[in-house]
C-alpha cells in the first residue's frame, strides 16, 4: 500500500512495489487494501444524498490509489516523514480515519448542504 523500496528512499511517497509489481506478498496487499477501502467508505456517509455515483467512484479510485498510499507511507514506511519525526500509529487510526474524516470534511464543504434540508436563511426544515 505504501510502496516501500530498497532503492531511492523517499520521505514523501514510495517508489516501488506498487500493485504487487516486484513483490509477491498477496496477504499483506489485501490487508492494506482493506484499510484503503475503509478510508474511502468513511466519506460515503458524509456525502450520502449529495454526490452522484460516478463522481463518488472517481473519488474512491483516487482515494485508494493515490491519496491513501501517500498518507500511509508517511506513517508506516521506514522512511516516512511522520515516522521519522517519532509518530506512532495505533491500529491505523492515523492514516485511515484521519484521511477519511478530512476528505469527508472537504467533500462536504465543497458540495454544500443537502438539498431540501435547510430553508433560505439556514433554518431547519
Amino acid at each position: 500500500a505504501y510502496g516501500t523500496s530498497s532503492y531511492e528512499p523517499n520521505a514523501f511517497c514510495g517508489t516501488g512495489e506498487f500493485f504487487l509489481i516486484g513483490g509477491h506478498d498477496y496477504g499483506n496487499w489485501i490487508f492494506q487494501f482493506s484499510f484503503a477501502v475503509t478510508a474511502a467508505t468513511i466519506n460515503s456517509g458524509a456525502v450520502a444524498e449529495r454526490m452522484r455515483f460516478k463522481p463518488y467512484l472517481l473519488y474512491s479510485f483516487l482515494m485508494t490509489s493515490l491519496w491513501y498510499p501517500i498518507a500511509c507511507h508517511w506513517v508506516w514506511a521506514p522512511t516516512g516523514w511522520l515516522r521519522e519525526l517519532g509518530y506512532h500509529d495505533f491500529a491505523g487510526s492515523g492514516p485511515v480515519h484521519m484521511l477519511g474524516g478530512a476528505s469527508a470534511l472537504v467533500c462536504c464543504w465543497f458540495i454544500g448542504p443537502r438539498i431540501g434540508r435547510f430553508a433560505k436563511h439556514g433554518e431547519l426544515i
Side-chain angles (χ1 to χ4, degrees), residues 35-57:
F35 282 131
V37 171
T38 300
T41 58
I42 288 171
N43 193 45
S44 67
V47 299
E49 301 176 359
R50 298 185 204 195
M51 185 182 261
R52 295 186 184 267
F53 187 63
K54 286 183 183 178
Y56 180 73
L57 285 178

Side-chain angles (χ1 to χ4, degrees), residues 2-82:
Y2 38 88
T4 59
S5 179
S6 59
Y7 61 94
E8 194 179 329
N10 187 340
F12 180 71
C13 66
T15 57
E17 296 182 15
F18 293 106
F19 201 71
L20 298 174
I21 297 173
H24 300 287
D25 191 359
Y26 299 109
N28 187 43
W29 190 88
I30 294 293
F31 182 69
Q32 292 295 332
F33 184 71
S34 69
F35 282 131
V37 171
T38 300
T41 58
I42 288 171
N43 193 45
S44 67
V47 299
E49 301 176 359
R50 298 185 204 195
M51 185 182 261
R52 295 186 184 267
F53 187 63
K54 286 183 183 178
Y56 180 73
L57 285 178
L58 176 64
Y59 158 80
S60 295
F61 174 76
L62 290 172
M63 172 68 96
T64 57
S65 64
L66 182 65
W67 303 323
Y68 178 79
I70 290 173
C72 71
H73 178 84
W74 296 346
V75 176
W76 292 334
T79 58
W81 69 274
L82 285 175

